[in-house]
Amino acid sequence: MLGQMMSQPLLISSLLVHAERHHGDREVVSRRVEGDIHRYTYRDLSKRARQMANALAALGVGHGDRVGTLAWNGYRHVELYYGASGSGAVLHTLNPRLHPDQLVWIADDAQDKVMFFEISFLPLIEATAARFESVKHFVLMADRSHMPEETKIPNLICYEDLIEGASDDYDWPSFDENTASSLCYTSGTTGNPKGVLYSHRSTVLHCYGCALPDSTNLSARDVVLPVVPMFHVNAWGMAYAAPMVGAKLVLPGPALDGKSLHDLFENEGVTFSAGVPTVWQGLLGYVEEHGLGFSTMKRTVIGGSACPAAMLEVFEKKYGVNVLHGWGMTEMSPLGTVCALKAGQDALDIDEQLKVKALQGRAIYGVDMKITGEDGEELPWDGETTGELMVRGPWIMQSYFNRDEDPLVYDKAGNGWFPTGDVAAITPEGFMRITDRSKDVIKSGGEWIGSIDLENIAMGHPAVAMAACIAAPHPKWDERPLLVVMKKPGKEVTREEMLALFEGKVAKFWIPDDVVFTDEIPLGATGKMQKNKLREEFAGHVLPTV
Ligand code: AMP
């Protein structure tokens, strides 16, 4: 017997329809590439998204066609999120920090039909337009006064002209909720990036998951500022979740430096934010230096890479901001776990709470997880045993886009689990702790050493800006940990002081064999340390033998 409830499909357009109807006056505030602050409401956004849907149709964009964007977090980008996906096209957000050759490759792999881009990327598109073979139209996301007088880009269209010329009379179409909605490429460190193709259903379900109390706890009373870019896994769902709950949305544009962010936080009354540790480091540095604080910010999600314990402590103890450590990946839409305390844990003293909050967190409903050993057997949740982290759920990828020759990305044991490539332990209470990326694990005499714990300890030293622990070749143990340290400007610390930090905190054989100081630790396009580059750079490093 079937239930007798309406089977209305879960569609992205419904999020905006809801926001317009129930939160029409709520503001969307954007810092523009042009330099000024733009403000309008969900009502205005909805109207322009409908105009965009009509405009895309006029450009010949049909159901399933890919619409590329090279854009920051801003209202025009949100209009495309809804205008493209809502009309049945596929929004493809490209990461402008990638190398131009990679961007051309990705646009070709995706067969993007239109490319929207912001003024910041005009030189990039000028230099590469002829190589984007599938792209029929280039649209500059600006008004007429910012259009270049001369350009090599063929038939360059002005975004505001495009909107102005389109009617706002548009009924969002209804279709199968499993229809593709958006496409995002992983920033793989080796080989070409791979596309993850989200559906309307996966996106809307992820959005519900995102807003749950023990996830981000978003509500109509919140003011949300996603620092995480809209080109990196859909800003972790924020551009969908904010309209869903009626939160005010504040978008920082290209200005991600400490001062610009802090100004926006304070001027707009931001209560909730989300970003990677490297961005928070810049913000905290600015706030510390100028003796400032956060007068409205209550909580923030930090994820994308491990949140250093020292950062967690400053946010919580000094500024009273509740840090929610989160873990996820492009293939997971991205949210997998969030570290919200369980019953009773809020009675722990602050230092004990911080120990829990440093873990990557608990699976939110919709994500199932387990750790497995080399033979695929499930390993115990004892907080110590580590194994490969496997996940499954309705917003987790089944197979990569366009990879027919390599369809199998999950299901090693035939059970429908996606192998994340992360190595983790899980406590009996269900809190997961990432110890490493499997390709970054240091294998010393057959034992695994987790680089993230060592980096966390190193980052606790006040003179350390960033630290990476990598495997260095060793004649007896195969590999031993080598600590690479980037100091804060004007600060000093010695090799011996660094090594002394580890005494008593980790097993003796985990302590790095050596420390090297470097001017720069390379970061990838999404702000993660590129340890493969460091391994290449220090491949010839000779470890001391005693
Ligand atoms: P991406 O798909 O680019 O978002 O990268 C996903 C990967 O980032 C994960 O598989 C993890 O290796 C890493 N990652 C994400 N969040 C965390 C976290 N909180 N702690 C440690 N690693 C993380």
Side-chain angles (χ1 to χ4, degrees):
M1 194 178 3
L2 293 178
Q4 290 179 265
M5 309 307 284
M6 293 187 191
S7 60
Q8 205 171 323
L10 300 173
L11 297 178
I12 286 175
S13 56
S14 68
L15 300 168
L16 194 57
V17 169
H18 175 82
E20 179 177 21
R21 215 181 205 335
H22 301 278
H23 305 281
D25 294 333
R26 201 71 166 128
E27 271 188 317
V28 178
V29 179
S30 312
R31 191 192 291 283
R32 298 204 286 191
V33 182
E34 294 91 316
D36 57 347
I37 300 279
H38 172 275
R39 29 183 102 237
Y40 69 178
T41 63
Y42 280 125
R43 188 170 299 111
D44 304 319
L45 166 58
S46 300
K47 177 170 177 272
R48 284 170 54 98
R50 293 196 301 273
Q51 285 175 287
M52 179 49 73
N54 274 325
L56 287 171
L59 289 178
V61 174
H63 199 81
D65 282 344
R66 267 75 74 199
V67 175
T69 62
L70 275 165
W72 304 109
N73 293 9
Y75 65 104
R76 291 186 181 119
H77 207 175
V78 186
E79 288 162 9
L80 284 163
Y81 262 50
Y82 289 93
S85 303
S87 63
V90 176
L91 178 87
H92 173 207
T93 50
L94 289 96
N95 184 339
R97 295 187 185 127
L98 293 173
H99 189 276
D101 290 347
Q102 255 182 332
L103 288 173
V104 169
W105 186 92
I106 289 174
D108 184 55
D109 192 59
Q111 287 292 292
D112 291 333
K113 202 162 177 181
V114 188
M115 184 64 71
F116 287 83
F117 64 98
E118 285 194 288
I119 300 172
S120 329
F121 311 118
L122 185 59
L124 172 71
I125 297 292
E126 290 264 0
T128 51
R131 297 169 60 200
F132 285 101
E133 285 182 15
S134 61
V135 175
K136 303 276 178 289
H137 308 280
F138 289 94
V139 185
L140 181 60
M141 297 165 73
D143 62 19
R144 182 122 293 281
S145 69
H146 288 88
M147 292 300 284
E149 280 176 15
E150 277 181 34
T151 175
K152 281 185 268 172
I153 305 166
N155 306 320
L156 182 62
I157 299 170
C158 165
Y159 186 97
E160 291 301 328
D161 285 357
L162 190 65
I163 291 261
E164 233 170 70
S167 159
D168 65 355
D169 186 9
Y170 184 83
D171 289 328
W172 296 109
S174 183
F175 39 76
D176 185 331
E177 63 184 13
N178 290 301
T179 301
S181 61
S182 47
L183 179 62
C184 186
Y185 280 70
T186 59
S187 46
T189 43
T190 50
N192 277 323
K194 290 184 237 158
V196 180
L197 188 61
Y198 309 103
S199 71
H200 284 259
R201 175 185 151 83
S202 70
T203 304
V204 174
L205 289 175
H206 176 260
C207 195
Y208 278 115
C210 257
L212 284 172
D214 276 355
S215 302
T216 63
N217 194 16
L218 277 192
S219 83
R221 295 167 302 286
D222 272 312
V223 180
V224 179
L225 188 152
V227 181
V228 52
M230 289 170 67
F231 56 74
H232 183 211
V233 218
N234 304 319
W236 299 351
M238 294 298 137
Y240 301 120
M244 182 179 83
V245 301
K248 172 173 162 182
L249 189 57
V250 183
L251 300 163
L256 302 179
D257 60 288
K259 178 178 181 347
S260 307
L261 284 178
H262 188 261
D263 284 354
L264 215 46
F265 279 165
E266 292 298 302
N267 296 342
E268 300 301 329
V270 171
T271 59
F272 172 77
S273 191
V276 296
T278 39
V279 166
W280 292 140
Q281 207 157 23
L283 177 70
L284 283 178
Y286 172 80
V287 170
E288 296 267 283
E289 195 183 324
H290 295 83
L292 304 167
F294 299 98
S295 56
T296 55
M297 181 138 88
K298 296 195 188 81
R299 60 196 193 288
T300 181
V301 171
I302 302 184
S305 39
C307 173
M311 178 176 290
L312 189 63
E313 189 169 332
V314 173
F315 261 126
E316 294 260 349
K317 282 192 180 167
K318 189 159 179 190
Y319 299 115
V321 175
N322 178 10
V323 172
L324 297 160
H325 193 187
W327 165 87
M329 54 198 308
T330 309
E331 289 87 338
M332 299 175 68
S333 299
L335 215 53
T337 62
V338 179
C339 199
L341 299 179
K342 270 189 159 177
Q345 288 176 328
D346 40 7
L348 295 173
D349 74 42
I350 179 79
D351 290 318
E352 289 302 311
Q353 282 189 22
L354 290 184
K355 277 189 201 151
V356 178
K357 288 182 162 201
L359 307 174
Q360 273 70 11
R362 296 185 279 122
I364 55 179
Y365 171 73
V367 174
D368 192 8
M369 68 179 180
K370 65 175 181 178
I371 44 172
T372 58
E374 295 213 337
D375 304 327
E377 78 284 8
E378 183 164 359
L379 297 173
W381 292 20
D382 57 15
E384 295 296 329
T385 310
T386 58
E388 180 165 24
L389 183 60
M390 316 280 284
V391 290
R392 62 179 176 190
W395 58 75
I396 291 163
M397 187 197 68
Q398 187 159 325
S399 53
Y400 286 106
F401 174 68
N402 237 354
R403 288 289 175 285
D404 295 340
E405 75 282 7
D406 175 26
L408 186 81
V409 294
Y410 79 132
D411 226 2
K412 257 188 211 160
N415 295 324
W417 291 81
F418 173 78
T420 62
D422 285 329
V423 180
I426 306 177
T427 69
E429 297 81 23
F431 287 84
M432 187 270 288
R433 174 172 61 96
I434 302 265
T435 56
D436 240 318
R437 228 17 231 157
S438 53
K439 54 185 186 312
D440 292 335
V441 158
I442 302 159
K443 295 184 193 103
S444 169
E447 300 257 17
W448 284 13
I449 296 178
S451 60
I452 291 181
D453 284 343
L454 298 176
E455 287 156 9
N456 228 328
I457 293 171
M459 298 272 282
H461 193 286
V464 174
M466 217 183 279
C469 207
I470 55 169
H474 189 280
K476 181 167 175 200
W477 303 108
D478 289 338
E479 291 177 354
R480 288 293 302 152
L482 170 67
L483 185 69
V484 185
V485 171
M486 184 174 111
K487 288 184 258 187
K488 286 185 183 159
K491 295 278 165 88
E492 278 311 322
V493 57
T494 63
R495 170 186 184 275
E496 285 64 35
E497 284 166 342
M498 284 311 302
L499 291 179
L501 278 181
F502 297 95
E503 297 288 344
K505 294 202 184 89
V506 291
K508 257 204 148 41
F509 83 97
W510 274 47
I511 298 181
D513 277 20
D514 207 358
V515 181
V516 285
F517 294 95
T518 181
D519 291 339
E520 204 188 345
I521 291 184
L523 296 179
T526 55
K528 293 182 214 293
M529 295 192 288
Q530 291 184 304
K531 293 199 198 172
N532 56 332
K533 292 220 169 130
L534 288 177
R535 279 194 292 267
E536 275 166 29
E537 188 180 339
F538 294 104
H541 184 82
V542 181
L543 295 170
T545 42
V546 248

